[in-house]
């Protein structure tokens, strides 16, 4: 495909367009437009316009249990309250964006994969307990529950696997994006799978999902945990 344009052709091909889709609108598969009239939780902002005020989430605002962190890296995940009237443009490392409309359901999302959510959604930070000698701290996830929209990200197209009683699903933690709120995964190891699971970390750790629900994975391994030194 020819990517050579005149200035006017380039503007026409890439200009932002209002699609009338409401609060959350996908400008492209990798750009989320937030048509703000009120307040929203947002991260990884690229641009904005209008009368908008931003307040970064403080770790003590909701108590120590609601610290937003990047798992085990020591870096704080950007999470802002945006309030006012205007447009926000959010993106995260070119990852694909999916908009989920929760209707009373609950959902766990990896902290690295949460882009934005409505203020009507209740949230809390959950830390999966570490396995001594294998995981150096644990895995931070965000539990979301209520009615409203949530924008999550994934490297490339996500795949949803259904979990059924008696038929557990095992996933690579580095490739696990989200799962239904009724599931409580556990970490398991299988040394015989070391060369298949967790190639990015050199470990054989898997997440085991049992019960009835779903888990979302991506065809990419992000580093959420590290080996104990």
């Amino acid at each position: 495909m020819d990517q050579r344009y005149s200035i006017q052709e380039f503007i026409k091909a890439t200009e932002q367009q209002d699609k009338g889709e409401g609060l959350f609108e996908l400008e492209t598969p990798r750009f989320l437009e937030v048509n703000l009239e009120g307040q929203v939780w947002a991260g990884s902002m690229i641009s904005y316009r209008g009368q908008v005020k931003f307040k970064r989430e403080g770790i003590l605002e909701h108590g120590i249990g609601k610290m937003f962190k990047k798992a085990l890296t020591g870096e704080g995940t950007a999470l802002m309250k945006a309030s006012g009237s205007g447009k926000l443009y959010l993106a995260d490392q070119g990852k694909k964006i999916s908009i989920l409309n929760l209707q009373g359901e609950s959902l766990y999302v990896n902290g690295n994969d949460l882009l934005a959510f409505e203020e009507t959604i209740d949230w809390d930070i959950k830390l999966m307990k570490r396995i001594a000698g294998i995981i150096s701290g644990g895995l931070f996830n965000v539990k979301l529950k209520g009615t409203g929209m949530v924008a999550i990200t994934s490297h490339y197209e996500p795949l949803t696997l259904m979990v059924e009683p008696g038929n557990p699903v095992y996933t690579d933690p580095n490739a696990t994006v989200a799962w239904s709120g009724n599931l409580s995964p556990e970490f398991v190891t299988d040394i015989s799978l070391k060369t298949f699971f967790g190639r990015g970390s050199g470990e054989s750790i898997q997440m085991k999902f049992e019960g009835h629900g779903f888990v979302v994975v991506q065809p990419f391994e992000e580093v959420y945990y590290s080996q104990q030194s």
Side-chain angles (χ1 to χ4, degrees):
M1 182 177 178
D2 192 352
Q3 295 294 313
R4 294 172 294 181
Y5 302 94
S6 69
I7 291 295
Q8 291 304 316
E9 288 171 338
F10 180 78
I11 292 173
K12 184 178 180 180
T14 63
E15 186 178 10
Q16 176 267 332
Q17 298 180 0
D18 286 322
K19 300 177 182 178
E21 296 175 353
L23 178 63
F24 285 5
E25 183 175 299
L26 283 179
E27 280 294 317
T28 76
R30 304 175 194 281
F31 256 115
L32 177 68
E33 179 184 85
V34 179
N35 295 298
L36 186 64
E37 290 291 343
Q39 183 170 285
V40 72
W41 291 94
S44 300
M45 186 175 64
I46 303 299
S47 179
Y48 79 95
R49 66 197 308 169
Q51 302 301 313
V52 183
K53 292 184 177 180
F54 301 97
K55 181 181 179 182
R56 186 172 297 278
E57 171 72 348
I59 62 173
L60 299 179
E61 183 171 343
H62 295 279
I64 197 69
K66 288 195 172 182
M67 293 168 57
F68 255 74
K69 290 183 176 181
K70 283 192 175 179
L72 311 182
T73 64
E75 300 175 8
T77 295
L79 179 69
M80 298 176 293
K81 286 181 180 178
S83 58
S85 176
K87 293 180 182 291
L88 311 180
Y89 298 96
L90 311 179
D92 185 8
Q93 301 180 62
K95 295 162 70 176
K96 184 178 176 64
I97 300 169
S98 298
I99 301 173
L100 307 178
N101 192 8
L102 298 188
Q103 298 178 345
E105 303 102 331
S106 60
L107 178 74
Y108 284 95
V109 182
N110 189 286
N112 286 345
D113 301 318
L114 181 60
L115 185 64
F117 58 94
E118 289 193 69
E119 64 172 334
T120 55
I121 300 290
D122 292 326
W123 62 275
D124 196 8
I125 295 295
K126 300 294 182 180
L127 173 62
M128 300 189 71
K129 294 181 180 180
R130 69 182 180 181
I131 301 174
I134 298 177
I135 298 178
S136 62
L139 186 64
F140 284 96
N141 301 290
V142 186
K143 186 176 184 180
L144 304 164
K145 183 178 182 180
T147 299
M149 287 184 290
V150 176
I152 66 174
T153 61
S154 60
H155 286 277
Y156 312 103
E157 284 67 32
L159 176 68
T160 298
L161 304 172
M162 303 309 296
V163 181
E164 300 172 350
N167 189 17
V169 172
Y170 298 82
T171 67
D172 180 344
N174 287 342
T176 305
V177 174
W179 59 91
S180 48
N182 60 303
L183 296 180
S184 298
E186 59 178 312
F187 284 112
V188 297
T189 59
D190 186 338
I191 199 67
S192 68
L193 292 176
K194 184 173 183 178
T195 58
F196 296 99
F197 267 92
R199 287 188 176 187
S201 65
E203 286 297 329
S204 56
I205 304 166
Q206 301 117 53
M207 294 175 74
K208 180 182 180 181
F209 294 86
E210 288 188 287
H212 184 79
F214 64 88
V215 56
V216 182
V217 294
Q218 62 184 358
F220 185 92
E221 290 180 283
E222 293 186 270
V223 178
Y224 299 145
Y225 62 86
S226 58
Q227 186 177 2
Q228 283 273 34
S229 57

mmCIF file of all heavy atoms in Angstrom, residues 139-169:
data_model
loop_
_atom_site.group_PDB
_atom_site.id
_atom_site.type_symbol
_atom_site.label_atom_id
_atom_site.label_comp_id
_atom_site.label_asym_id
_atom_site.label_seq_id
_atom_site.Cartn_x
_atom_site.Cartn_y
_atom_site.Cartn_z
ATOM 1 N N LEU A 139 1.629 -10.780 41.672
ATOM 2 C CA LEU A 139 1.069 -10.279 40.438
ATOM 3 C C LEU A 139 -0.066 -9.322 40.783
ATOM 4 O O LEU A 139 -1.013 -9.694 41.457
ATOM 5 C CB LEU A 139 0.531 -11.452 39.598
ATOM 6 C CG LEU A 139 0.031 -11.145 38.197
ATOM 7 C CD1 LEU A 139 1.163 -10.650 37.314
ATOM 8 C CD2 LEU A 139 -0.594 -12.392 37.579
ATOM 9 N N PHE A 140 0.039 -8.059 40.354
ATOM 10 C CA PHE A 140 -0.976 -7.068 40.649
ATOM 11 C C PHE A 140 -2.062 -7.080 39.586
ATOM 12 O O PHE A 140 -1.782 -7.037 38.395
ATOM 13 C CB PHE A 140 -0.364 -5.670 40.718
ATOM 14 C CG PHE A 140 0.389 -5.405 41.982
ATOM 15 C CD1 PHE A 140 1.759 -5.579 42.043
ATOM 16 C CD2 PHE A 140 -0.274 -4.981 43.122
ATOM 17 C CE1 PHE A 140 2.466 -5.333 43.204
ATOM 18 C CE2 PHE A 140 0.408 -4.739 44.297
ATOM 19 C CZ PHE A 140 1.784 -4.911 44.342
ATOM 20 N N ASN A 141 -3.311 -7.132 40.043
ATOM 21 C CA ASN A 141 -4.443 -7.068 39.140
ATOM 22 C C ASN A 141 -5.461 -6.089 39.696
ATOM 23 O O ASN A 141 -5.452 -5.770 40.889
ATOM 24 C CB ASN A 141 -5.103 -8.447 38.993
ATOM 25 C CG ASN A 141 -4.144 -9.481 38.470
ATOM 26 O OD1 ASN A 141 -3.748 -9.436 37.321
ATOM 27 N ND2 ASN A 141 -3.724 -10.406 39.330
ATOM 28 N N VAL A 142 -6.336 -5.624 38.839
ATOM 29 C CA VAL A 142 -7.389 -4.705 39.244
ATOM 30 C C VAL A 142 -8.726 -5.415 39.100
ATOM 31 O O VAL A 142 -9.039 -5.926 38.023
ATOM 32 C CB VAL A 142 -7.381 -3.430 38.378
ATOM 33 C CG1 VAL A 142 -8.389 -2.422 38.921
ATOM 34 C CG2 VAL A 142 -5.990 -2.816 38.331
ATOM 35 N N LYS A 143 -9.499 -5.451 40.171
ATOM 36 C CA LYS A 143 -10.847 -6.006 40.089
ATOM 37 C C LYS A 143 -11.830 -4.878 39.832
ATOM 38 O O LYS A 143 -11.893 -3.909 40.586
ATOM 39 C CB LYS A 143 -11.228 -6.753 41.364
ATOM 40 C CG LYS A 143 -12.585 -7.457 41.232
ATOM 41 C CD LYS A 143 -12.937 -8.288 42.453
ATOM 42 C CE LYS A 143 -14.249 -9.047 42.210
ATOM 43 N NZ LYS A 143 -14.618 -9.871 43.397
ATOM 44 N N LEU A 144 -12.591 -5.000 38.761
ATOM 45 C CA LEU A 144 -13.566 -4.001 38.360
ATOM 46 C C LEU A 144 -14.955 -4.609 38.467
ATOM 47 O O LEU A 144 -15.175 -5.755 38.062
ATOM 48 C CB LEU A 144 -13.308 -3.554 36.918
ATOM 49 C CG LEU A 144 -11.897 -3.026 36.643
ATOM 50 C CD1 LEU A 144 -11.623 -2.988 35.152
ATOM 51 C CD2 LEU A 144 -11.717 -1.643 37.240
ATOM 52 N N LYS A 145 -15.905 -3.839 38.993
ATOM 53 C CA LYS A 145 -17.261 -4.357 39.141
ATOM 54 C C LYS A 145 -18.259 -3.221 39.046
ATOM 55 O O LYS A 145 -18.008 -2.121 39.553
ATOM 56 C CB LYS A 145 -17.418 -5.077 40.489
ATOM 57 C CG LYS A 145 -18.785 -5.723 40.688
ATOM 58 C CD LYS A 145 -18.866 -6.466 42.009
ATOM 59 C CE LYS A 145 -20.227 -7.144 42.186
ATOM 60 N NZ LYS A 145 -20.313 -7.874 43.474
ATOM 61 N N GLY A 146 -19.396 -3.486 38.392
ATOM 62 C CA GLY A 146 -20.438 -2.480 38.327
ATOM 63 C C GLY A 146 -21.022 -2.347 36.941
ATOM 64 O O GLY A 146 -20.992 -3.284 36.136
ATOM 65 N N THR A 147 -21.543 -1.158 36.669
ATOM 66 C CA THR A 147 -22.164 -0.874 35.385
ATOM 67 C C THR A 147 -21.444 0.299 34.728
ATOM 68 O O THR A 147 -21.354 1.378 35.313
ATOM 69 C CB THR A 147 -23.656 -0.541 35.557
ATOM 70 O OG1 THR A 147 -24.317 -1.672 36.147
ATOM 71 C CG2 THR A 147 -24.302 -0.237 34.218
ATOM 72 N N GLY A 148 -20.909 0.074 33.547
ATOM 73 C CA GLY A 148 -20.172 1.110 32.834
ATOM 74 C C GLY A 148 -19.134 0.497 31.910
ATOM 75 O O GLY A 148 -18.990 -0.726 31.829
ATOM 76 N N MET A 149 -18.402 1.355 31.238
ATOM 77 C CA MET A 149 -17.446 0.894 30.239
ATOM 78 C C MET A 149 -16.029 0.820 30.788
ATOM 79 O O MET A 149 -15.618 1.636 31.614
ATOM 80 C CB MET A 149 -17.502 1.794 29.008
ATOM 81 C CG MET A 149 -18.739 1.580 28.166
ATOM 82 S SD MET A 149 -18.733 2.575 26.651
ATOM 83 C CE MET A 149 -18.957 4.202 27.344
ATOM 84 N N VAL A 150 -15.313 -0.171 30.292
ATOM 85 C CA VAL A 150 -13.914 -0.400 30.647
ATOM 86 C C VAL A 150 -13.136 -0.598 29.351
ATOM 87 O O VAL A 150 -13.581 -1.332 28.467
ATOM 88 C CB VAL A 150 -13.761 -1.662 31.529
ATOM 89 C CG1 VAL A 150 -12.289 -1.948 31.802
ATOM 90 C CG2 VAL A 150 -14.553 -1.514 32.829
ATOM 91 N N ALA A 151 -12.001 0.056 29.219
ATOM 92 C CA ALA A 151 -11.143 -0.121 28.047
ATOM 93 C C ALA A 151 -9.900 -0.877 28.467
ATOM 94 O O ALA A 151 -9.173 -0.443 29.363
ATOM 95 C CB ALA A 151 -10.771 1.224 27.427
ATOM 96 N N ILE A 152 -9.669 -2.031 27.841
ATOM 97 C CA ILE A 152 -8.487 -2.827 28.128
ATOM 98 C C ILE A 152 -7.620 -2.903 26.876
ATOM 99 O O ILE A 152 -8.088 -2.639 25.763
ATOM 100 C CB ILE A 152 -8.853 -4.239 28.619
ATOM 101 C CG1 ILE A 152 -9.548 -5.045 27.510
ATOM 102 C CG2 ILE A 152 -9.714 -4.162 29.875
ATOM 103 C CD1 ILE A 152 -9.801 -6.499 27.887
ATOM 104 N N THR A 153 -6.349 -3.246 27.058
ATOM 105 C CA THR A 153 -5.428 -3.310 25.932
ATOM 106 C C THR A 153 -4.788 -4.687 25.842
ATOM 107 O O THR A 153 -4.691 -5.423 26.835
ATOM 108 C CB THR A 153 -4.304 -2.266 26.069
ATOM 109 O OG1 THR A 153 -3.549 -2.537 27.263
ATOM 110 C CG2 THR A 153 -4.874 -0.850 26.130
ATOM 111 N N SER A 154 -4.345 -5.025 24.648
ATOM 112 C CA SER A 154 -3.623 -6.282 24.443
ATOM 113 C C SER A 154 -2.640 -6.089 23.298
ATOM 114 O O SER A 154 -2.879 -5.299 22.386
ATOM 115 C CB SER A 154 -4.593 -7.423 24.108
ATOM 116 O OG SER A 154 -5.322 -7.155 22.929
ATOM 117 N N HIS A 155 -1.534 -6.796 23.368
ATOM 118 C CA HIS A 155 -0.611 -6.820 22.240
ATOM 119 C C HIS A 155 -1.220 -7.723 21.161
ATOM 120 O O HIS A 155 -1.379 -8.919 21.376
ATOM 121 C CB HIS A 155 0.752 -7.352 22.666
ATOM 122 C CG HIS A 155 1.547 -6.382 23.488
ATOM 123 N ND1 HIS A 155 2.301 -5.372 22.927
ATOM 124 C CD2 HIS A 155 1.692 -6.257 24.829
ATOM 125 C CE1 HIS A 155 2.895 -4.675 23.882
ATOM 126 N NE2 HIS A 155 2.534 -5.189 25.044
ATOM 127 N N TYR A 156 -1.592 -7.116 20.051
ATOM 128 C CA TYR A 156 -2.251 -7.836 18.960
ATOM 129 C C TYR A 156 -3.660 -8.259 19.394
ATOM 130 O O TYR A 156 -4.206 -7.754 20.364
ATOM 131 C CB TYR A 156 -1.397 -9.017 18.484
ATOM 132 C CG TYR A 156 0.045 -8.618 18.242
ATOM 133 C CD1 TYR A 156 1.041 -8.951 19.166
ATOM 134 C CD2 TYR A 156 0.391 -7.854 17.129
ATOM 135 C CE1 TYR A 156 2.354 -8.562 18.966
ATOM 136 C CE2 TYR A 156 1.712 -7.461 16.916
ATOM 137 C CZ TYR A 156 2.688 -7.814 17.841
ATOM 138 O OH TYR A 156 3.981 -7.410 17.641
ATOM 139 N N GLU A 157 -4.273 -9.202 18.661
ATOM 140 C CA GLU A 157 -5.669 -9.560 18.927
ATOM 141 C C GLU A 157 -5.777 -10.497 20.130
ATOM 142 O O GLU A 157 -5.073 -11.494 20.211
ATOM 143 C CB GLU A 157 -6.291 -10.233 17.689
ATOM 144 C CG GLU A 157 -6.640 -9.273 16.572
ATOM 145 C CD GLU A 157 -5.411 -8.639 15.933
ATOM 146 O OE1 GLU A 157 -4.363 -9.316 15.888
ATOM 147 O OE2 GLU A 157 -5.492 -7.477 15.498
ATOM 148 N N PRO A 158 -6.697 -10.193 21.048
ATOM 149 C CA PRO A 158 -6.877 -11.068 22.211
ATOM 150 C C PRO A 158 -7.655 -12.327 21.848
ATOM 151 O O PRO A 158 -8.409 -12.360 20.869
ATOM 152 C CB PRO A 158 -7.690 -10.188 23.171
ATOM 153 C CG PRO A 158 -8.474 -9.285 22.271
ATOM 154 C CD PRO A 158 -7.580 -9.002 21.090
ATOM 155 N N LEU A 159 -7.472 -13.358 22.661
ATOM 156 C CA LEU A 159 -8.196 -14.617 22.513
ATOM 157 C C LEU A 159 -8.841 -14.945 23.850
ATOM 158 O O LEU A 159 -8.182 -14.914 24.885
ATOM 159 C CB LEU A 159 -7.238 -15.743 22.110
ATOM 160 C CG LEU A 159 -7.846 -17.152 22.016
ATOM 161 C CD1 LEU A 159 -8.821 -17.239 20.846
ATOM 162 C CD2 LEU A 159 -6.746 -18.199 21.890
ATOM 163 N N THR A 160 -10.151 -15.240 23.830
ATOM 164 C CA THR A 160 -10.868 -15.581 25.055
ATOM 165 C C THR A 160 -11.090 -17.089 25.114
ATOM 166 O O THR A 160 -11.636 -17.683 24.179
ATOM 167 C CB THR A 160 -12.217 -14.852 25.120
ATOM 168 O OG1 THR A 160 -11.980 -13.440 25.146
ATOM 169 C CG2 THR A 160 -12.972 -15.232 26.384
ATOM 170 N N LEU A 161 -10.662 -17.693 26.217
ATOM 171 C CA LEU A 161 -10.800 -19.124 26.443
ATOM 172 C C LEU A 161 -11.857 -19.352 27.518
ATOM 173 O O LEU A 161 -11.799 -18.749 28.597
ATOM 174 C CB LEU A 161 -9.460 -19.723 26.887
ATOM 175 C CG LEU A 161 -8.277 -19.476 25.943
ATOM 176 C CD1 LEU A 161 -6.981 -19.952 26.592
ATOM 177 C CD2 LEU A 161 -8.503 -20.196 24.617
ATOM 178 N N MET A 162 -12.819 -20.213 27.242
ATOM 179 C CA MET A 162 -13.871 -20.505 28.214
ATOM 180 C C MET A 162 -13.370 -21.548 29.222
ATOM 181 O O MET A 162 -12.719 -22.529 28.861
ATOM 182 C CB MET A 162 -15.127 -21.013 27.505
ATOM 183 C CG MET A 162 -15.681 -20.048 26.456
ATOM 184 S SD MET A 162 -15.911 -18.334 27.051
ATOM 185 C CE MET A 162 -17.169 -18.614 28.322
ATOM 186 N N VAL A 163 -13.675 -21.305 30.479
ATOM 187 C CA VAL A 163 -13.306 -22.210 31.564
ATOM 188 C C VAL A 163 -14.564 -22.937 32.020
ATOM 189 O O VAL A 163 -15.585 -22.310 32.315
ATOM 190 C CB VAL A 163 -12.686 -21.438 32.744
ATOM 191 C CG1 VAL A 163 -12.280 -22.395 33.863
ATOM 192 C CG2 VAL A 163 -11.502 -20.613 32.277
ATOM 193 N N GLU A 164 -14.495 -24.260 32.064
ATOM 194 C CA GLU A 164 -15.643 -25.078 32.442
ATOM 195 C C GLU A 164 -15.270 -25.998 33.599
ATOM 196 O O GLU A 164 -14.109 -26.417 33.716
ATOM 197 C CB GLU A 164 -16.112 -25.918 31.246
ATOM 198 C CG GLU A 164 -16.532 -25.074 30.044
ATOM 199 C CD GLU A 164 -16.802 -25.922 28.814
ATOM 200 O OE1 GLU A 164 -16.479 -27.134 28.851
ATOM 201 O OE2 GLU A 164 -17.322 -25.371 27.836
ATOM 202 N N PRO A 165 -16.234 -26.315 34.455
ATOM 203 C CA PRO A 165 -15.947 -27.217 35.581
ATOM 204 C C PRO A 165 -15.357 -28.541 35.100
ATOM 205 O O PRO A 165 -15.843 -29.141 34.137
ATOM 206 C CB PRO A 165 -17.330 -27.432 36.210
ATOM 207 C CG PRO A 165 -18.104 -26.200 35.854
ATOM 208 C CD PRO A 165 -17.636 -25.824 34.476
ATOM 209 N N GLY A 166 -14.291 -28.973 35.740
ATOM 210 C CA GLY A 166 -13.635 -30.216 35.374
ATOM 211 C C GLY A 166 -12.712 -30.105 34.178
ATOM 212 O O GLY A 166 -12.093 -31.098 33.778
ATOM 213 N N ASN A 167 -12.620 -28.899 33.600
ATOM 214 C CA ASN A 167 -11.774 -28.694 32.420
ATOM 215 C C ASN A 167 -10.996 -27.391 32.584
ATOM 216 O O ASN A 167 -11.281 -26.400 31.919
ATOM 217 C CB ASN A 167 -12.624 -28.664 31.156
ATOM 218 C CG ASN A 167 -11.783 -28.666 29.888
ATOM 219 O OD1 ASN A 167 -10.599 -28.995 29.917
ATOM 220 N ND2 ASN A 167 -12.395 -28.288 28.782
ATOM 221 N N PRO A 168 -10.004 -27.369 33.504
ATOM 222 C CA PRO A 168 -9.279 -26.136 33.795
ATOM 223 C C PRO A 168 -8.462 -25.637 32.602
ATOM 224 O O PRO A 168 -8.106 -26.408 31.705
ATOM 225 C CB PRO A 168 -8.361 -26.532 34.961
ATOM 226 C CG PRO A 168 -8.204 -28.008 34.837
ATOM 227 C CD PRO A 168 -9.499 -28.514 34.293
ATOM 228 N N VAL A 169 -8.193 -24.337 32.615
ATOM 229 C CA VAL A 169 -7.362 -23.702 31.595
ATOM 230 C C VAL A 169 -6.077 -23.214 32.252
ATOM 231 O O VAL A 169 -6.109 -22.605 33.323
ATOM 232 C CB VAL A 169 -8.109 -22.523 30.933
ATOM 233 C CG1 VAL A 169 -7.171 -21.754 30.006
ATOM 234 C CG2 VAL A 169 -9.322 -23.025 30.161
#
